Amino acid sequence: KDARRGVAMYWCFNEFIGGAQLTCTILALYLATLGDLSTKTVFLQLDNCSGENKNWLIMQFLSVLVEIGRVKAFHINFLPVGHTHIDIDQVFFYFI
């Protein structure tokens, strides 16, 4: 069984970059730890915000990774507008 399956969280402590550049940096650093992904599809779940995740720089970066053969493909899921960041909160949400 592949021990790398599941959810991963990765961050870097660099206060000089932000936005889409930070997203690309974190993704590149994490993917570098996974070895050969040339035959793998990577599934990403990203916040639905244009400043950090849903913009041309992210799409261009992911396209380059596929083009150079680093990853076979990406499947991207953008969370719905108004979501909470903790999935379990959705279960216990109610109106007062």
Side-chain angles (χ1 to χ4, degrees):
K1 191 169 185 176
D2 189 357
R4 294 179 294 194
R5 288 181 171 252
V7 175
M9 188 170 79
Y10 200 87
W11 65 91
C12 70
F13 298 99
N14 186 341
E15 59 190 76
F16 302 110
I17 61 173
Q21 291 178 339
L22 180 59
T23 302
C24 291
T25 300
I26 290 172
L27 184 58
L29 290 170
Y30 179 68
L31 291 177
T33 68
L34 297 179
D36 182 22
L37 296 172
S38 60
T39 62
K40 306 285 185 184
T41 298
V42 175
F43 291 81
L44 298 175
Q45 180 170 306
L46 301 172
D47 239 359
N48 192 6
C49 58
S50 59
E52 294 176 355
N53 299 323
K54 204 173 189 181
N55 57 58
W56 66 270
L57 182 61
I58 298 296
M59 298 305 144
Q60 193 173 39
F61 177 69
L62 299 178
S63 296
V64 166
L65 292 176
V66 171
E67 183 66 29
I68 64 173
R70 178 71 178 99
V71 174
K72 179 181 176 185
F74 285 97
H75 178 86
I76 306 167
N77 177 46
F78 291 105
L79 295 169
V81 175
H83 74 281
T84 65
H85 290 276
I86 303 172
D87 291 339
I88 195 67
D89 287 349
Q90 296 295 324
V91 175
F92 296 103
F93 178 78
Y94 63 92
F95 291 99
I96 298 175

